[in-house]
């Protein structure tokens, strides 16, 4: 499993930001509806007022822009259909799950991004990403699954602590 992380900050972007970064990850600028957004390190390095709403709903622009950015980063070398798992903190899980299901019913997402931020001859490019299947689970459960799969943790009983952007969840994992 390859993990690519980026800072979950964004900012509306106006004007050109030509060759200001050295890769898509550090120069992420995507379009959502009629607006352009700097995301992640590009936002930290080039932006003036980076922000993120804590625990945004799937109906909010912040969530959609960060979701599209994550999709783009996760399919950097792939063009096939993907299987997606989303997580929400337990405090918002029951409320946000139906909203996310409605958002993901679209299944096909076209992401428009500006490669001139990190390429000398860059242009506005588009990538179509098809989501074949998706699951929505609580974040704490996702942490346990990831820990057991990626790091092969074989302890039967342990304490799991998930520190999120605005939430902290603790659970006892037993066999």
């Amino acid at each position: 499993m390859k993990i690519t992380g980026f800072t979950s900050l964004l900012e509306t972007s106006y004007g050109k930001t030509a060759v200001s970064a050295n890769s898509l990850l550090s120069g992420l600028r995507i379009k959502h509806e009629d607006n352009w957004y700097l995301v992640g390190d590009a936002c930290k390095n080039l932006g003036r007022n980076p922000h993120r709403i804590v625990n945004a709903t799937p109906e909010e622009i912040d969530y959609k822009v960060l979701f599209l950015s994550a999709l783009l980063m996760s399919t950097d070398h792939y063009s096939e259909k993907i299987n997606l798992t989303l997580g929400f903190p337990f405090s918002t899980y029951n409320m946000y799950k139906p909203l996310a299901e409605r958002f993901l019913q679209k299944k096909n997402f076209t992401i428009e991004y500006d490669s001139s931020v990190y390429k000398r001859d860059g242009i506005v490019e588009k990538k179509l990403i098809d989501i074949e299947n998706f699951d929505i689970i609580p974040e704490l459960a996702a942490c346990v699954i990831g820990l057991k799969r990626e790091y092969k943790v074989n302890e039967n009983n342990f304490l799991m602590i998930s520190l999120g952007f605005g939430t902290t969840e603790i659970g006892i994992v037993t066999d």
Side-chain angles (χ1 to χ4, degrees):
M1 175 188 315
K2 180 185 171 203
I3 298 173
T4 302
F6 63 92
T7 306
S8 57
L9 295 171
L10 62 122
E11 177 178 339
T12 306
S13 171
Y14 303 101
K16 292 285 185 185
T17 53
V19 193
S20 306
N22 59 9
S23 68
L24 176 61
L25 181 60
S26 62
L28 190 52
R29 183 172 184 250
I30 72 165
K31 188 174 186 180
H32 174 64
E33 295 176 351
D34 292 327
N35 294 311
W36 284 95
Y37 296 89
L38 292 171
V39 180
D41 287 345
C43 184
K44 283 191 330 187
N45 297 332
L46 304 171
R48 294 186 178 187
N49 188 23
H51 72 280
R52 177 180 175 222
I53 296 174
V54 175
N55 295 327
T57 73
E59 295 176 329
E60 293 181 87
I61 290 172
D62 286 37
Y63 183 91
K64 291 175 181 177
V65 169
L66 292 170
F67 173 81
L68 293 174
S69 300
L71 269 187
L72 180 62
M73 295 308 303
S74 69
T75 59
D76 194 28
H77 303 293
Y78 307 102
S79 59
E80 59 196 44
K81 292 187 176 197
I82 64 169
N83 294 303
L84 178 70
T85 302
L86 291 177
F88 289 106
F90 187 72
S91 61
T92 62
Y93 176 75
N94 290 322
M95 189 171 35
Y96 289 2
K97 183 180 179 190
L99 301 175
E101 288 171 337
R102 193 169 347 149
F103 176 64
L104 292 171
Q105 282 178 347
K106 181 178 171 188
K107 298 237 181 194
N108 302 323
F109 293 88
T110 301
I111 302 170
E112 204 169 338
Y113 63 102
D114 182 2
S115 65
S116 71
V117 179
Y118 59 93
K119 287 184 188 175
R120 185 163 307 282
D121 296 325
I123 57 170
V124 172
E125 299 183 32
K126 289 184 181 182
K127 183 152 199 160
L128 175 65
I129 299 171
D130 295 321
I131 297 175
E132 188 166 5
N133 297 303
F134 65 86
D135 290 306
I136 302 167
I137 61 177
E139 280 181 359
L140 193 62
C143 290
V144 172
I145 291 167
L147 189 66
K148 287 188 170 266
R149 276 198 192 145
E150 180 66 17
Y151 296 105
K152 310 291 188 246
V153 172
N154 56 10
E155 284 86 7
N156 292 332
N157 302 310
F158 59 91
L159 182 68
M160 184 77 216
I161 301 172
S162 171
L163 301 174
F165 192 87
T167 59
T168 300
E169 297 180 308
I170 301 171
I172 297 174
V173 180
T174 64
D175 48 336

